[in-house]
Amino acid sequence: MKSHVERPKMVSPRKNEKSGELGRRYALRFVSGKYQGGEFPLAEGEEVVVGRSSDLDMVLVEEMVSRKHAVFRLQGGVLTVEDQGSTNGTFVNGERIEKATLNEGDRVLIGTSILRVVGSDATAAGDARRSLLDNATQKASRPRTNEPVASAEPPRMSGSLEEIPLPDLMQLFSTSKKSGVLVLRNAESTGRLYLEQGRIRHAEINTSPELQPAKAVYRLLGFTRGQFALDPPDDRTFAEPLDLSATEVLMEGFRQLDELGTLGERLPPHDAVLSLPKTLPGRLRELPPEDLDWLEIAFRGRTFGGALDAASGSDLETSRALLGLIDRGWLSAG
């Protein structure tokens, strides 16, 4: 059991020795959860206690948040967060912490809320804090019913992929051992990652319904814009479930993306139709069996993107093989 930490006395903001201006100010911006879009400015010398209890500085009304969950402190321009023995933990950039020093851009997970550390305009700090507190108070002051917790709508984590990139989400959910369906939506398609205790069990993309789950996992790393939402766990069963950690997916996925990047503009567009050229450089029977197999995949997929979906190998392996056939004149992409 952690001992109670007394609230420090308020002190005047420290001035920068070189410029004479007020020291660095911070705010906590909600980028996910029910308070998404709100900001909570932090004052020098202050501590902000976060939890479910209505008498705290920042009240987050949800079951995954403990009554007294964590404390933020800004002392001498240094911002820290300390977990208060919470049941579900406090996470900084995907790692569960007891106490951590925060920098601008760091992300803190408390319950289903992700708070990003941002720079704060001192002149607007009071108004912004009052705005968030009023909003939070309105939500927190609603009378609770006597309905059992199980009948309430489960907490839903959602936000923008521009604010929280998919790799950060994967690491965060892996460390916090989240279960559920991570839904990714952009203008073109919708993807889903099925998580069980933080591990990836299945993946799919609606625009490529026949795509193997093991390939869909890496394809989803291309979702850099759009929205995400962590839906409740799905009771579906999968014929060949995956068992991948976020770390191994990210390491292999970034390797593939880097090497695909080196191919650059040589790669045809995904909608380019694959066909045999009018004039071949030789007889088809002279090709080795593996090249004939790649030609079959090309014709089965019809387009470059279709061939990527149809192949059992990775997008990197398939791209290299098809590009090799195109360069040698055995395949045309138009």
Side-chain angles (χ1 to χ4, degrees), residues 16-167:
N16 185 292
E17 294 178 357
K18 292 184 179 181
S19 65
E21 297 176 351
L22 290 176
R24 191 75 175 100
R25 288 179 176 266
Y26 295 101
L28 301 173
R29 175 180 297 165
F30 286 76
V31 295
S32 174
K34 65 195 295 183
Y35 304 106
Q36 183 178 348
E39 283 194 8
F40 195 106
L42 300 166
E44 172 65 36
E46 182 183 17
E47 83 172 21
V48 175
V49 185
V50 183
R52 203 172 69 246
S53 179
S54 60
D55 60 347
L56 301 182
D57 306 299
M58 186 191 296
V59 181
L60 303 182
V61 186
E62 61 169 280
E63 293 303 320
M64 292 183 65
V65 175
S66 296
R67 291 184 60 81
K68 185 177 181 182
H69 197 107
V71 177
F72 290 90
R73 298 184 181 90
L74 183 58
Q75 296 284 347
V78 178
L79 177 61
T80 61
V81 60
E82 183 175 0
D83 186 76
Q84 299 296 290
S86 65
T87 302
N88 293 299
T90 302
F91 298 81
V92 175
N93 297 330
E95 296 185 9
R96 186 165 185 163
I97 58 93
E98 291 185 2
K99 185 176 182 180
T101 300
L102 300 173
N103 296 299
E104 190 168 347
D106 286 345
R107 298 178 181 89
V108 182
L109 171 65
I110 297 177
T112 63
S113 294
I114 300 178
L115 300 89
R116 184 177 182 180
V117 179
V118 298
S120 174
D121 181 358
T123 61
D127 291 341
R129 175 176 296 210
R130 281 190 293 273
S131 176
L132 175 62
L133 285 175
D134 289 345
N135 183 44
T137 300
Q138 289 174 6
K139 295 183 180 182
S141 62
R142 295 172 184 168
R144 296 189 179 189
T145 67
N146 293 322
E147 296 178 0
V149 174
S151 68
E153 182 180 352
R156 193 167 187 261
M157 186 180 298
S158 61
S160 166
L161 289 171
E162 287 91 337
E163 284 274 13
I164 315 175
L166 179 57

Side-chain angles (χ1 to χ4, degrees), residues 212-231:
Q212 296 179 10
K215 291 180 65 173
V217 170
Y218 300 109
R219 192 83 64 84
L220 286 173
L221 292 177
F223 280 62
T224 57
R225 294 182 177 275
Q227 300 294 312
F228 75 86
L230 183 64
D231 286 351

Side-chain angles (χ1 to χ4, degrees), residues 261-274:
T262 64
L263 300 179
E265 296 182 356
R266 295 175 58 205
L267 291 175
H270 274 220
D271 59 356
V273 177
L274 302 178

Side-chain angles (χ1 to χ4, degrees), residues 231-297:
D231 286 351
D234 194 309
D235 59 2
R236 287 172 56 187
T237 57
F238 305 105
E240 297 181 3
L242 304 174
D243 186 21
L244 299 172
S245 70
T247 300
E248 59 187 308
V249 167
L250 293 176
M251 289 181 63
E252 174 60 18
F254 287 142
R255 183 191 72 82
Q256 292 186 27
L257 288 175
D258 287 344
E259 297 195 27
L260 279 169
T262 64
L263 300 179
E265 296 182 356
R266 295 175 58 205
L267 291 175
H270 274 220
D271 59 356
V273 177
L274 302 178
S275 61
L276 284 176
K278 292 182 179 179
T279 303
L280 294 174
R283 298 178 180 179
L284 285 174
R285 65 171 178 264
E286 296 172 355
L287 284 174
E290 57 269 24
D291 282 344
L292 291 174
D293 290 341
W294 285 116
L295 280 177
E296 180 183 347
I297 289 172

